[in-house]
Amino acid sequence: MTIKKICCIGAGYVGGPTMAVIAYKNPDIEVNIVDINADRIAAWNDEDLSNLPIYEPGLAEIVEKTRGKNLFFSTDINKAIDESEMIFISVNTPTKTYGKGKGMAADLKYVELCARNIAEVATTDKIVVEKSTLPVRTAQAIKSILHNTGNSVNFDVLSNPEFLAEGTAIQDLLSPDRVLIGGESEDAIESLAKVYGSWVDDDKILRTNVWSSELSKLTANAFLAQRISSINAISELCEKTEANVNEVARAIGMDSRIGSKFLNASIGFGGSCFQKDILNLVYIARSYNLHEVADYWEQVIVLNDHQKRRFSDHLIKTLYNTVSGKKIAMLGWAFKKDTNDTRESAAIYVADHLLSEQANVAVYDPKVEDFKVLNDLNYLNSRPEQENRELVSVHDNPYEALKDAHAVAIMTEWDEFKTYDWRSIYDNMKKPAFVFDGRNILDKSKMEEIGFEYYSIGQ
Ligand code: NAD
Ligand code: UGA
């Protein structure tokens, strides 16, 4: 099938950047991104590119080049479905918060709604592409809905999981390590391979069966998250033994079998996917009675929760066992640098713990909007919203957040934090002035020379 029009359902962190790059690299294909969230679509259509709903380095430039030419954002889902030969489902698949599998399984209701929507609207043959991260064997369910609800048009279902990381999404999309396509129909697979073939070498386009493709996505995230929990586990041992986790990471990373990437000890991984996808993997393993497999992967989450908790425990203990009424400045709220995404950010959990001890938390993040900080905390439901409003302040200026603070906690590895005038920050803080560097981005000896009591992870 020659693809002239593509529809993507879901204008989020994956749908937006991925389709922008597909449009950019395929000027002859019209790409329509649709979403039920009208505010989000309006933000994607905002003339001022700094108001795009997602912050990603390089994204605004690509949107500027393509929007209104062959890239369109709209809420008219039915029209876009009907007119397209290829439809990507790129909606959210969060952890279920109710019913069977609550807290573990992926909630597939949004994906199912999309499948039903496609089935009802389609009048011509379609290739339906799973771009969302889905449990292994979901394509079966999508196929069944499409074939039983649809009006006798032919649907091919492909799995094409996305491996981009936020903060480097555009770079990851422009030069992917691989593109994975799982499917049954060779024609459908080749139609999608051709779209990517505009800029990705064919030997990087991997064709597999659908189930391998679905499971590879969960497995990739599980392996990545496992590396972080592994180095974080060692970081705690380093703190007891005077080994330095940065030195250990460097030493093991030079072994080409281990490799040097993804070995930064931290306050714990965040983001919308690692935890959700591992919980999903654990749930699937349990559903096949593979309890040893499930327990093995669950430890990655157990360790990650422990790492977040021990950071805030240590902070409280160091501040003479009480933070009540003390000002704790938090630098960074996003789950990693170069994104405005705060989903599952470690900062939320650390702040929540400090607030339970009645600390005054002053937050600064260069890209996160003020309202998100309070929303994230209110969502946890740990205390009345009014109390969060009284105890938390969000600042546009880092030096204001830091003024008169008893301690600074670095939550996100934003580059700008490294270049702050730490001497003047020290002068304006309460003494002793503590720094808890959850990202190991500052120089311990320099910080100590200024006079800070400096704590970092695994050093
Ligand atoms: P997101 O929440 O940013 O975006 C999803 C969008 O889908 C939302 O705007 C929502 O309004 C829309 N939507 C939901 N149901 C809809 C419906 N029935 N019709 C139309 N629109 C609908 O989510 P995301 O971060 O883009 O993630 C999407 C999927 O991609 C998830 O399965 C995730 O696991 C996977 N993924 C995410 C990343 C990442 O970095 N965020 C990377 C790889 C894979
Ligand atoms: C991750 C994967 O890297 C992507 O391949 C995948 O597509 C995506 O999840 C997804 O499925 O959503 P992302 O969560 O955007 O991407 O960002 P990462 O760079 O993986 O970072 C995740 C978390 O781990 C962040 O909180 C980060 O700070 C933390 N991290 C990362 C560490 O603590 N140490 C490291 O060495 C690396």
Side-chain angles (χ1 to χ4, degrees):
M1 191 187 279
T2 308
I3 307 300
K4 291 193 223 72
K5 277 197 185 184
I6 286 177
C7 159
C8 172
I9 310 179
Y13 283 87
V14 167
T18 309
M19 292 303 127
V21 169
I22 286 184
Y24 177 55
K25 292 292 184 181
N26 290 280
D28 298 333
I29 298 181
E30 181 181 313
V31 180
N32 287 287
I33 310 184
V34 290
D35 202 294
I36 37 173
N37 183 337
D39 290 342
R40 214 170 205 187
I41 291 296
W44 279 113
N45 282 323
D46 201 305
E47 293 222 346
D48 181 351
L49 288 162
S50 67
N51 290 334
L52 294 185
I54 287 167
Y55 172 71
E56 267 302 330
L59 173 65
E61 288 80 353
I62 290 192
V63 170
E64 186 176 25
K65 286 185 185 135
T66 48
R67 197 176 58 183
K69 294 192 183 93
N70 67 329
L71 178 68
F72 302 91
F73 297 89
S74 152
T75 51
D76 196 344
I77 300 174
N78 292 354
K79 180 167 177 275
I81 290 174
D82 192 30
E83 289 179 351
S84 305
E85 297 93 20
M86 182 174 274
I87 300 157
F88 287 79
I89 300 179
S90 192
V91 299
N92 35 328
T93 49
T95 305
K96 267 187 98 175
T97 53
Y98 56 89
K100 191 162 182 261
K102 178 179 171 179
M104 297 293 291
D107 191 344
L108 298 181
K109 73 175 169 205
Y110 306 106
V111 172
E112 181 170 338
L113 280 171
C114 290
R116 290 188 184 279
N117 200 349
I118 296 167
E120 278 158 22
V121 170
T123 51
T124 51
D125 292 355
K126 311 282 179 206
I127 297 171
V128 176
V129 185
E130 300 176 347
K131 183 51 102 180
S132 298
T133 301
L134 296 170
V136 54
R137 296 206 72 86
T138 304
Q140 191 68 45
I142 294 182
K143 232 165 124 182
S144 162
I145 291 166
L146 290 170
H147 288 236
N148 290 306
T149 323
N151 26 7
S152 74
V153 297
N154 183 52
F155 296 103
D156 284 310
V157 179
L158 298 177
S159 159
N160 172 225
E162 185 48 59
F163 296 101
L164 68 79
E166 289 178 30
T168 53
I170 297 302
Q171 203 39 51
D172 296 341
L173 287 162
L174 290 173
S175 323
D177 287 344
R178 79 312 207 177
V179 167
L180 179 56
I181 305 177
E184 278 171 4
S185 151
E186 206 173 304
D187 282 353
I189 293 173
E190 292 315 313
S191 297
L192 181 55
K194 203 170 158 211
V195 173
Y196 285 107
S198 305
W199 81 98
V200 180
D201 288 344
D202 195 58
D203 59 1
K204 287 196 170 169
I205 304 179
L206 204 64
R207 286 97 162 154
T208 66
N209 80 33
V210 190
W211 322 123
S212 306
S213 173
E214 289 179 336
L215 188 55
S216 297
K217 174 61 196 176
L218 293 182
T219 308
N221 274 359
F223 269 59
L224 289 168
Q226 182 201 42
R227 271 174 85 87
I228 303 170
S229 279
S230 297
I231 199 70
N232 281 345
I234 297 300
S235 76
E236 191 170 12
L237 196 53
C238 286
E239 288 167 29
K240 299 285 180 213
T241 56
E242 290 184 40
N244 178 324
V245 77
N246 295 344
E247 292 177 355
V248 173
R250 185 145 183 261
I252 64 165
M254 285 173 77
D255 184 325
S256 60
R257 293 168 304 173
I258 297 175
S260 60
K261 291 180 184 164
F262 247 68
L263 286 178
N264 294 322
S266 69
I267 191 175
F269 59 76
S272 63
C273 292
F274 278 172
Q275 174 165 308
K276 148 179 99 67
D277 292 347
I278 293 180
L279 289 173
N280 189 10
L281 191 66
V282 170
Y283 182 76
I284 294 168
R286 289 241 158 84
S287 71
Y288 287 107
N289 283 322
L290 305 178
H291 297 295
E292 289 78 6
V293 176
D295 292 348
Y296 175 76
W297 287 109
E298 196 161 35
Q299 277 304 310
V300 173
I301 303 288
V302 171
L303 202 285
N304 197 51
D305 287 341
H306 170 68
Q307 188 77 350
K308 289 183 267 189
R309 185 67 186 199
R310 81 179 185 88
F311 182 85
S312 46
D313 276 341
H314 179 79
L315 188 154
I316 295 163
K317 194 166 156 223
T318 311
L319 266 71
Y320 316 106
N321 287 312
T322 177
V323 288
S324 176
K326 292 181 182 168
K327 181 177 180 184
I328 314 293
M330 291 182 83
L331 291 183
W333 192 260
F335 80 97
K336 63 184 284 197
K337 73 171 180 177
D338 292 336
T339 177
N340 61 347
D341 194 347
T342 65
R343 290 177 289 180
E344 290 300 326
S345 178
I348 304 170
Y349 296 95
V350 170
D352 189 58
H353 186 193
L354 298 177
L355 292 169
S356 297
E357 294 291 330
Q358 298 180 349
N360 292 108
V361 174
V363 179
Y364 167 77
D365 186 288
K367 287 289 174 200
V368 173
E369 303 90 324
D370 295 6
F371 73 91
K372 265 198 191 171
V373 174
L374 276 173
N375 281 1
D376 288 338
L377 289 165
N378 291 339
Y379 184 76
L380 296 182
N381 233 341
S382 305
R383 65 195 65 76
E385 294 187 5
Q386 175 63 20
E387 215 174 294
N388 281 337
R389 268 198 298 278
E390 282 164 14
L391 292 173
V392 180
S393 58
V394 186
H395 300 263
D396 295 335
N397 179 329
Y399 292 92
E400 252 170 47
L402 290 157
K403 192 169 172 3
D404 292 328
H406 292 77
V408 190
I410 298 177
M411 298 286 111
T412 313
E413 71 282 23
W414 286 103
D415 290 334
E416 65 174 59
F417 299 161
K418 296 183 204 166
T419 60
Y420 284 180
D421 181 350
W422 284 98
R423 192 166 292 279
S424 107
I425 290 170
Y426 176 79
D427 291 341
N428 288 306
M429 279 177 65
K430 295 257 194 289
K431 307 295 175 322
F434 296 94
V435 173
F436 298 87
D437 184 351
R439 298 294 189 158
N440 292 359
I441 55 171
L442 301 176
D443 185 323
K444 185 179 164 72
S445 54
K446 278 194 193 139
M447 295 301 279
E448 286 176 348
E449 204 182 290
I450 292 173
F452 283 109
E453 300 283 331
Y454 177 83
Y455 165 81
S456 56
I457 307 278
Q459 293 185 55

